[in-house]
Amino acid sequence: MMKSILCFSTLLAGLGLVQAGFDADSQNNVAVYWGQNSINIANGTEAQKRLSYYCETGDEVDVFILSFVTKYQGTGGYPELNFANAQNNCTAINGTGLLDCPQIAEDIVTCQGLGKTILLSTGGSAYTEGGFTSEEAATESAHLMWELFGPVSDNSSVPRPFGKAVIDGFDFDFENIEMSNMPAFANELRSLYSDDTSKTYYTTAAPQCAYPDEADGPMLNGTVYFDAVWVQFYNNGCDMANWVPNTTTQWNFNFDTWDNWAKTISLNPDVKVCMGVPGDTSAGGGYEPPSTIGEIVDYIVDQNYTSFGGIMIWDASQAWNNSGFVSSVYSYLPGASA
Ligand SMILES: *[C@@H]1O[C@H](CO)[C@@H](O)[C@H](O)[C@H]1NC(C)=O
Ligand SMILES: *[C@@H]1O[C@H](CO)[C@@H](O)[C@H](O)[C@H]1NC(C)=O
Ligand SMILES: *[C@@H]1O[C@H](CO)[C@@H](O)[C@H](O)[C@H]1NC(C)=O
Ligand SMILES: *[C@@H]1O[C@H](CO)[C@@H](O)[C@H](O)[C@H]1NC(C)=O
Ligand SMILES: *[C@@H]1O[C@H](CO)[C@@H](O)[C@H](O)[C@H]1NC(C)=O
Ligand SMILES: *[C@@H]1O[C@H](CO)[C@@H](O)[C@H](O)[C@H]1NC(C)=O
Ligand SMILES: *[C@@H]1O[C@H](CO)[C@@H](O)[C@H](O)[C@H]1NC(C)=O
Ligand SMILES: CC(=O)N[C@H]1CO[C@H](CO)[C@@H](O)[C@@H]1O
């Protein structure tokens, strides 16, 4: 058994397929947010490109997180979407804030064919809805999200933004806002995952490193089963810039807190804690070059923070303009194969 597994991974490495989707047993997962064009250039070579471009050129990336669903209960009672410049390739769906995005649909299939896990994130710093007024509204919305983005159902007539493409799970990235009734939403969605046994669906969140996280806190408090969290170790007093080399006593950089959260509070004690980093100097405060990220990862591993699961990068547009960043960061992760 062991031997055939080894042969299989050798074969994959030989083909140059270094990564193949989210792996809960790995410490070298790489997740990248796509959709918000954070480089903020509308046209030209530096602007965000279509999703498949990043999947085809990002061998080291396991997970792409599409951002963002900006509302759960928007115009016409449907969720709303925003993909920055990528939505120029979508059309509005009449009577809703949804978008019909055949190119993203095509690219989701292409990316999944390359082994990538594709998640859909709700939130972002512009999210202002604050969750749901009741548990009933939350569970109803979970069913609608599943119908819109989960497996295709013959008896459903909802306008699916990605057509027949089916995402691999849902991410929560709520910031600067108090959220109501989110555990009910997340748990209902998770219970729907079992409707489709043809593949594994994931639930993830991107809290700030300051603990407890105000916005995602109620979901992280032992109430919701998360497969991974992409903790934002940027823009905060606990971020990577506050890591001090050559000491085990870190006063501010707080990966220890999150490792402890994983092992003692998280509903899933084997949840993976991935370190969220900015992809370039202006993608977020506290940018560090790959070599420093590598030193921080060494510290995390030396401290036996075994919940560590890899790196999250915000976002594709900036990381790709920062030549070599993604592959270099990957090379410093435990068990990296290149
Ligand atoms: C929009 O579509 C064009 C034509 O296929 C493609 O080259 C471009 O990368 C797409 N842009 C985005 C941001 O998805
Ligand atoms: C959009 O829907 C409204 C009613 O919901 C209808 O009056 C209108 O004609 C529709 N527009 C298009 C372009 O389909
Ligand atoms: C569609 O049918 C399936 C069973 O085939 C059922 O579980 C599901 O609730 C139905 N969905 C809707 C929207 O009616
Ligand atoms: C988490 O749960 C504890 C105990 O039930 C409670 O005291 C605390 O306020 C909760 N924290 C958050 C962020 O929800
Ligand atoms: C501090 O640690 C770094 C690696 O993290 C090492 O390269 C350097 O030599 C150390 N410096 C001292 C003074 O120990
Ligand atoms: C590292 O942590 C794990 C639990 O996560 C524990 O089983 C193991 O004994 C620890 N190893 C060391 C060297 O402390
Ligand atoms: C993109 O990368 C180039 C080359 O390093 C750099 O000169 C430019 O400032 C970057 N663009 C942005 C918007 O960061
Ligand atoms: C030539 C070209 O691609 N123009 C686009 C530049 O960006 C604006 C704003 O996003 C689009 O509306 C144009 O189509």
Side-chain angles (χ1 to χ4, degrees):
M1 188 61 186
M2 260 334 260
K3 203 167 184 181
S4 66
I5 289 170
L6 284 174
C7 288
F8 184 57
S9 43
T10 308
L11 178 67
L12 289 178
L15 293 171
L17 302 171
V18 286
Q19 298 289 84
F22 176 72
D23 181 354
D25 295 322
S26 163
Q27 296 201 303
N28 58 49
N29 289 289
V30 176
V32 176
Y33 277 85
W34 174 88
Q36 284 303 297
N37 186 29
S38 77
I39 199 166
N40 208 20
I41 295 170
N43 309 100
T45 53
E46 292 176 6
Q48 172 175 267
K49 296 169 190 61
R50 62 189 288 178
L51 176 63
S52 60
Y53 169 80
Y54 299 98
C55 294
E56 284 161 354
T57 56
D59 278 355
E60 299 81 7
V61 182
D62 302 284
V63 183
F64 281 96
I65 309 172
L66 313 189
S67 53
F68 283 115
V69 173
T70 55
K71 271 185 187 168
Y72 285 121
Q73 300 171 298
T75 307
Y78 282 101
E80 298 191 358
L81 293 171
N82 179 291
F83 295 120
N85 67 332
Q87 74 188 44
N88 299 338
N89 292 337
C90 304
T91 53
I93 295 179
N94 192 22
T96 78
L98 286 170
L99 299 164
D100 179 28
C101 302
Q103 186 181 81
I104 298 178
E106 184 187 330
D107 290 4
I108 289 170
V109 173
T110 301
C111 294
Q112 289 170 334
L114 292 166
K116 313 300 186 193
T117 299
I118 305 295
L119 307 179
L120 177 64
S121 186
T122 302
S125 53
Y127 175 92
T128 56
E129 196 177 32
F132 302 93
T133 52
S134 67
E135 292 200 354
E136 291 68 29
T139 54
E140 208 173 291
S141 177
H143 281 263
L144 182 52
M145 287 292 282
W146 185 245
E147 233 180 303
L148 287 165
F149 302 106
V152 179
S153 163
D154 292 340
N155 55 8
S156 165
S157 58
V158 299
R160 290 173 61 93
F162 308 141
K164 289 196 158 60
V166 180
I167 59 161
D168 299 303
F170 296 88
D171 177 64
F172 305 114
D173 179 17
F174 302 114
E175 303 179 18
N176 316 312
I177 187 163
E178 210 170 302
M179 298 294 297
S180 300
N181 294 303
M182 281 309 294
F185 176 87
N187 286 328
E188 186 70 13
L189 201 48
R190 185 131 198 141
S191 76
L192 291 168
Y193 292 178
S194 57
D195 284 1
D196 180 10
T197 52
S198 71
K199 66 174 179 178
T200 304
Y201 291 90
Y202 300 100
T203 306
T204 66
Q208 316 278 318
C209 56
Y211 188 90
D213 180 62
E214 193 193 350
D216 299 297
M219 282 189 288
L220 298 171
N221 216 358
T223 57
V224 174
Y225 188 102
F226 284 102
D227 298 283
V229 290
W230 330 105
V231 182
Q232 299 182 38
F233 282 98
Y234 48 93
N235 296 336
N236 278 286
C238 42
D239 67 19
M240 285 193 298
N242 287 282
W243 174 76
V244 182
N246 311 103
T247 175
T248 55
T249 314
Q250 299 291 332
W251 294 107
N252 294 310
F253 177 73
N254 68 343
F255 200 93
D256 58 335
T257 301
W258 285 96
D259 184 63
N260 185 55
W261 165 80
K263 290 165 180 167
T264 65
I265 295 174
S266 171
L267 186 59
N268 172 13
D270 296 321
V271 62
K272 283 294 165 206
V273 180
C274 298
M275 184 165 72
V277 309
D280 203 349
T281 47
S282 50
Y287 172 81
E288 297 291 349
S291 58
T292 304
I293 293 173
E295 287 178 32
I296 299 173
V297 169
D298 286 348
Y299 155 82
I300 288 170
V301 172
D302 287 348
Q303 293 297 110
N304 197 30
Y305 297 147
T306 50
S307 63
F308 179 70
I311 294 288
M312 173 275 275
I313 300 169
W314 174 268
D315 72 345
S317 65
Q318 302 221 55
W320 257 253
N321 192 54
N322 186 4
S323 184
F325 180 81
V326 176
S327 54
S328 183
V329 167
Y330 170 73
S331 72
Y332 289 106
L333 298 179
S337 59

PDB file of all heavy atoms in Angstrom, residues 243 245-246 295, ligand 5:
ATOM      1  N   TRP A 243       6.711  39.140  13.591  1.00  0.00           N
ATOM      2  CA  TRP A 243       7.484  37.941  13.944  1.00  0.00           C
ATOM      3  C   TRP A 243       8.926  38.371  14.221  1.00  0.00           C
ATOM      4  O   TRP A 243       9.511  39.152  13.465  1.00  0.00           O
ATOM      5  CB  TRP A 243       7.450  36.936  12.788  1.00  0.00           C
ATOM      6  CG  TRP A 243       8.331  35.742  13.019  1.00  0.00           C
ATOM      7  CD1 TRP A 243       8.085  34.680  13.827  1.00  0.00           C
ATOM      8  CD2 TRP A 243       9.614  35.502  12.423  1.00  0.00           C
ATOM      9  NE1 TRP A 243       9.115  33.790  13.779  1.00  0.00           N
ATOM     10  CE2 TRP A 243      10.078  34.269  12.923  1.00  0.00           C
ATOM     11  CE3 TRP A 243      10.416  36.201  11.525  1.00  0.00           C
ATOM     12  CZ2 TRP A 243      11.303  33.721  12.558  1.00  0.00           C
ATOM     13  CZ3 TRP A 243      11.639  35.658  11.159  1.00  0.00           C
ATOM     14  CH2 TRP A 243      12.077  34.431  11.661  1.00  0.00           C
ATOM     15  N   PRO A 245      12.806  37.156  14.677  1.00  0.00           N
ATOM     16  CA  PRO A 245      13.682  36.006  14.427  1.00  0.00           C
ATOM     17  C   PRO A 245      14.451  35.582  15.680  1.00  0.00           C
ATOM     18  O   PRO A 245      14.654  36.390  16.581  1.00  0.00           O
ATOM     19  CB  PRO A 245      14.667  36.500  13.354  1.00  0.00           C
ATOM     20  CG  PRO A 245      14.314  37.903  13.051  1.00  0.00           C
ATOM     21  CD  PRO A 245      13.253  38.363  13.982  1.00  0.00           C
ATOM     22  N   ASN A 246      14.884  34.341  15.705  1.00  0.00           N
ATOM     23  CA  ASN A 246      15.804  33.831  16.717  1.00  0.00           C
ATOM     24  C   ASN A 246      15.270  33.894  18.143  1.00  0.00           C
ATOM     25  O   ASN A 246      16.034  34.063  19.084  1.00  0.00           O
ATOM     26  CB  ASN A 246      17.163  34.567  16.638  1.00  0.00           C
ATOM     27  CG  ASN A 246      17.689  34.600  15.223  1.00  0.00           C
ATOM     28  OD1 ASN A 246      17.602  35.622  14.562  1.00  0.00           O
ATOM     29  ND2 ASN A 246      18.194  33.489  14.750  1.00  0.00           N
ATOM     30  N   GLU A 295      11.429  31.467   6.765  1.00  0.00           N
ATOM     31  CA  GLU A 295      11.946  31.438   8.149  1.00  0.00           C
ATOM     32  C   GLU A 295      10.801  31.333   9.151  1.00  0.00           C
ATOM     33  O   GLU A 295      10.913  30.649  10.175  1.00  0.00           O
ATOM     34  CB  GLU A 295      12.755  32.716   8.445  1.00  0.00           C
ATOM     35  CG  GLU A 295      14.105  32.762   7.754  1.00  0.00           C
ATOM     36  CD  GLU A 295      14.847  34.071   8.045  1.00  0.00           C
ATOM     37  OE1 GLU A 295      14.682  34.627   9.152  1.00  0.00           O
ATOM     38  OE2 GLU A 295      15.570  34.537   7.147  1.00  0.00           O
TER      39      GLU A 295
HETATM   40  C1  LIG B   5      18.704  34.179  13.207  1.00  0.00           C
HETATM   41  O1  LIG B   5      17.948  33.204  12.503  1.00  0.00           O
HETATM   42  C2  LIG B   5      18.223  33.166  11.145  1.00  0.00           C
HETATM   43  C3  LIG B   5      17.262  32.175  10.534  1.00  0.00           C
HETATM   44  O2  LIG B   5      15.964  32.403  10.988  1.00  0.00           O
HETATM   45  C4  LIG B   5      19.667  32.797  10.911  1.00  0.00           C
HETATM   46  O3  LIG B   5      19.931  32.835   9.514  1.00  0.00           O
HETATM   47  C5  LIG B   5      20.562  33.796  11.623  1.00  0.00           C
HETATM   48  O4  LIG B   5      21.889  33.377  11.538  1.00  0.00           O
HETATM   49  C6  LIG B   5      20.168  33.904  13.084  1.00  0.00           C
HETATM   50  N1  LIG B   5      20.940  34.971  13.716  1.00  0.00           N
HETATM   51  C7  LIG B   5      21.444  34.827  14.906  1.00  0.00           C
HETATM   52  C8  LIG B   5      22.165  36.040  15.418  1.00  0.00           C
HETATM   53  O5  LIG B   5      21.366  33.819  15.564  1.00  0.00           O
END
